[in-house]
Amino acid sequence: MTNSSLNISIKNVTKTYDQFHALKDISLEINSGEFMTLLGPSGSGKTTLLMVLAGFTNPDYGSVKFGEEEVILKPPHLRGIGMVFQNYALFPHMSVEQNVGYPQKLRGVSVTETKRSVEEALETVKLAGLGHRGVDELSGGQRQRVALARAIVFKPKILLMDEPLSALDKKLREEMQIELRQLHDTLNMTTVYVTHDQKEALTMSDRITVINDGELMQLGTPNEIYEYPSNNFIADFIGESSLLPVIVRNGVVHFDGAEIKLSTSPKTDGEFFLVVRPEKVFITIENSDDVNKFEGVLLDSIFQGESQLLVVKLKSMSEDEVVLRVRVPNGSVTQAVLPSAGQQLIIGLRVADSYLVS
Ligand code: ADP
Ligand code: MG
């Protein structure tokens, strides 16, 4: 089952509810065949944007093109999209195959072709043989698969999904992330996927659009978003990080009086944050020009299975307490000789890993 896909071009999309700006002048290009994730906290406008693409919400202003075609005035059922809603929106009184075949029925597809495409879709989502079941006889994970089968039954060029895994438990969710991504690669659709879960976004996406308060904050590959967040909101929201307040004067970075070295010196003076990821810092005793060092005291050491998390309070002249987190992989050399709470230690961060945000 292979589909041809379409690129999506979103320009200046704006949506207000009374005085409230749910979407503020959103523009972005989604490539044909791309897995694009809209990521943001609850209430940031992700569903609103997805519903604008689907045609269920009319923006006040803006343009949405699928390929060359402007679709902003087209009703949802004429847009040729597959859609998986957050709550699945299955018809409870219908069987699995009736649910999956419903879009075909709406489109006036013949009974024989509907039966064939339903079987194919159920096989694709690994539900072959369950067509006669009632929806209420299925587990949460199976219902999610029915919703997916219904979305892909007519081989749409564009698939939209709104937090499709949020109701599943962690283990199943993580398995389904891999499976959905593989399905995307097999079916070759353009996929727009909504989640508030940053790890899920990093795992599944070709590129991620970060949205906050109805505003597009950053668009990039998972690697770009994680390694080079464009501001402190994203640095904090994606992955774990400690944000150390620093001051830049004449291109030199200072934290608590001491100089912090960067691989490229900052272009503007002012107040910034040094982004410190727990996996990028380490306990050190050596002196090296390639490493920025911070003195601190160990507050807490927490066993988390695959790693040990150290909570370190930095020595600081200011009133505000600055805390760094250090992740030590389980089984590493460092783990065997960890300091205990109350002990002094020196934390290293490579100059190459030292990155500032505003
Ligand atoms: P998300 O999916 O990122 O959690 P939504 O797109 O659902 O966010 O909502 C964004 C904001 O718009 C929220 O503050 C929400 O309360 C508001 N909103 C969404 N739909 C409506 C509506 N029909 N009427 C009024 N406000 C709405
Ligand atoms: Mg939502």
Side-chain angles (χ1 to χ4, degrees):
M1 191 151 121
T2 28
N3 310 338
S4 51
S5 54
L6 277 176
N7 66 307
I8 302 174
S9 174
I10 302 167
K11 287 218 169 76
N12 308 113
V13 166
T14 301
K15 177 71 186 171
T16 48
Y17 293 110
D18 298 324
Q19 301 297 319
F20 179 77
H21 290 259
L23 294 175
K24 299 171 188 165
D25 197 28
I26 301 276
S27 298
L28 68 131
E29 301 288 328
I30 302 170
N31 298 323
S32 173
E34 184 170 36
F35 196 114
M36 172 66 88
T37 296
L38 307 178
L39 172 68
S42 177
S44 55
K46 307 179 296 293
T47 296
T48 305
L49 183 55
L50 201 72
M51 290 304 156
V52 168
L53 297 184
F56 293 109
T57 295
N58 292 320
D60 308 339
Y61 184 78
S63 150
V64 174
K65 281 186 180 171
F66 293 169
E68 293 302 305
E69 188 194 9
E70 176 62 62
V71 295
I72 208 80
L73 295 174
K74 267 196 168 185
H77 68 281
L78 295 179
R79 293 195 183 192
I81 43 150
M83 174 96 208
V84 179
F85 296 91
Q86 186 161 13
N87 53 8
Y88 311 156
L90 297 175
F91 306 111
H93 55 282
M94 288 186 193
S95 68
V96 167
E97 58 192 6
Q98 284 169 331
N99 266 283
V100 176
Y102 190 73
Q104 298 294 58
K105 197 173 158 189
L106 280 190
R107 293 153 61 91
V109 173
S110 74
V111 175
T112 333
E113 171 54 18
T114 298
K115 192 169 177 329
R116 194 203 57 76
S117 59
V118 167
E119 271 170 23
E120 190 182 22
L122 286 177
E123 195 158 320
T124 305
V125 302
K126 300 180 182 165
L127 283 184
L130 291 189
H132 294 289
R133 286 261 186 103
V135 165
D136 54 355
E137 297 170 292
L138 301 176
S139 69
Q142 288 172 324
R143 283 178 206 198
Q144 197 276 328
R145 287 168 192 272
V146 175
L148 187 61
R150 187 178 61 182
I152 62 170
V153 69
F154 61 92
K155 301 186 178 178
K157 293 185 166 71
I158 294 171
L159 178 63
L160 307 179
M161 291 191 265
D162 194 355
E163 313 227 13
L165 306 181
S166 59
L168 308 180
D169 61 45
K170 187 169 183 288
K171 193 149 190 295
L172 185 56
R173 200 164 67 226
E174 288 172 357
E175 284 166 16
M176 285 302 295
Q177 288 167 5
I178 309 287
E179 215 180 288
L180 279 183
R181 176 64 217 210
Q182 286 168 347
L183 188 79
H184 162 88
D185 294 345
T186 315
L187 299 183
N188 185 37
M189 301 159 294
T190 306
T191 298
V192 187
Y193 187 94
V194 163
T195 183
H196 67 274
D197 181 337
Q198 45 95 17
K199 192 114 183 267
E200 186 163 299
L202 293 172
T203 303
M204 300 179 77
S205 321
D206 291 318
R207 290 191 300 161
I208 299 170
T209 301
V210 184
I211 300 178
N212 188 36
D213 279 340
E215 243 176 282
L216 194 160
M217 302 240 110
Q218 189 171 3
L219 196 169
T221 63
N223 188 70
E224 285 164 353
I225 300 256
Y226 188 84
E227 302 292 354
Y228 308 106
S230 62
N231 58 38
N232 69 72
F233 168 80
I234 297 173
D236 190 45
F237 185 63
I238 317 271
E240 267 183 287
S241 56
S242 308
L243 298 170
L244 271 53
V246 296
I247 293 171
V248 179
R249 250 187 241 116
N250 305 320
V252 181
V253 187
H254 301 272
F255 169 70
D256 199 49
E259 185 184 339
I260 305 281
K261 284 176 247 132
L262 302 185
S263 29
T264 47
S265 55
K267 288 180 185 63
T268 47
D269 285 4
E271 295 184 5
F272 295 87
F273 296 99
L274 178 68
V275 181
V276 185
R277 303 281 196 195
E279 77 277 14
K280 305 230 168 169
V281 274
F282 45 89
I283 300 172
T284 183
I285 43 167
E286 287 168 50
N287 262 321
S288 159
D289 284 348
D290 303 335
V291 175
N292 288 307
K293 284 190 280 303
F294 305 89
E295 280 178 61
V297 59
L298 185 65
L299 288 184
D300 209 352
S301 176
I302 304 155
F303 179 70
Q304 293 189 320
E306 88 290 354
S307 64
Q308 188 92 21
L309 187 68
L310 309 184
V311 184
V312 179
K313 190 179 114 182
L314 297 190
K315 211 176 106 188
S316 162
M317 289 179 292
S318 81
E319 305 266 295
D320 303 328
E321 193 170 276
V322 182
V323 168
L324 266 193
R325 280 162 301 177
V326 183
R327 192 170 288 291
V328 180
N330 189 345
S332 66
V333 185
T334 320
Q335 199 209 9
V337 291
L338 286 179
S340 43
Q343 269 185 279
Q344 307 259 348
L345 68 176
I346 295 174
I347 301 300
L349 171 68
R350 264 178 270 281
V351 171
D353 291 333
S354 301
Y355 178 76
L356 298 191
V357 292
S358 52

